[in-house]
Amino acid sequence: MSAEDGAAAAIARLAGDMRACRICMEAPKGPPLPHPPRPVFQLSATARLCIVGQAPGIRAHVAGRPFADPSGDRLRDWLGIDEATFYDESRIAIIPMGFCFPGYDVRGADLPPRRECAPAWRARVFDLLEHIGLIVVIGQYAQEWHLGPRRLADLTATVANWREYLEASGKGPRTLVLPHPSWRNNGWLKRNPWFAAELLPTLRSEVAALLESVGQPSVGS
């Protein structure tokens, strides 16, 4: 078996384990998941772009596909790619902080990602994603995990510091931080016009260059 075949087999085994995960029902940290688990993610050994967000919403849960909702339409516009490219797992991995829709709070908003999920799976996933050239980190929960102490006091300050995170990536995957593309952030987008004027052109350029490089030597090769 070639190294490529071995990597693909390891990813396939891991993806199968992730889809079978029931930790939020069988060993929950707090109340169990209020509905049957349906892990939603996208993963392959050849992916070059990785999108990390918080957790699937109800539409993604029903569809069984990440970002299968209006926030996904906005995200694809931000990235400058179409739906077919977005769901091409050979090029793009989508790994939320929590794999399952967490349910609603008393106000009808999505609950935070389940606390069981990231400690159980995240290190294993990223140990196998060897060809990622760019990680797009969406929202405060993903930024807290992926930036650690480099994350600033609030989401606005963190996203405004995007150039530093991108330039500090070193030899590993480059990193770009985004707010969540939900309609709930329409006000934030209006108050921060620099996001569309400065960050999005860089994001689209990085994504286009990376996806065009598929088949060429990857980061760390």
Side-chain angles (χ1 to χ4, degrees), residues 18 21 25 29 41-42 55 60 71 75 84 86 102 112 156 161 177 181 183 197 211 218:
M18 288 157 56
C21 181
M25 297 289 286
K29 295 181 178 179
F41 59 87
Q42 184 168 296
S71 68
L75 177 59
F86 186 79
T156 300
N161 200 40
V177 294
W183 62 268
L211 296 184
S218 60

Side-chain angles (χ1 to χ4, degrees), residues 71-149:
S71 68
D73 295 335
R74 174 177 272 171
L75 177 59
R76 289 182 279 274
D77 177 65
W78 285 356
L79 296 167
I81 59 177
D82 60 19
E83 187 171 305
T85 301
F86 186 79
Y87 289 116
D88 181 355
E89 68 176 17
S90 70
R91 293 192 282 177
I92 298 177
I94 305 174
I95 311 295
M97 293 301 300
F99 297 151
C100 293
F101 170 57
Y104 296 116
D105 65 18
V106 295
R107 299 170 298 172
D110 289 8
L111 287 165
R114 297 289 307 192
R115 291 185 294 146
E116 305 90 350
C117 204
W121 298 108
R122 211 147 193 85
R124 295 175 61 186
V125 169
F126 283 91
D127 281 348
L128 293 178
L129 290 177
E130 299 178 350
H131 300 291
I132 297 298
L134 178 68
I135 301 176
V136 176
V137 187
I138 299 172
Q140 61 179 340
Y141 298 104
Q143 289 163 11
E144 182 176 4
W145 180 277
H146 285 269
L147 298 178

Side-chain angles (χ1 to χ4, degrees), residues 158-171:
T158 300
V159 177
N161 200 40
W162 64 271
R163 290 183 180 86
E164 182 172 323
Y165 302 129
L166 183 64
E167 294 167 0
S169 301
K171 294 183 179 180

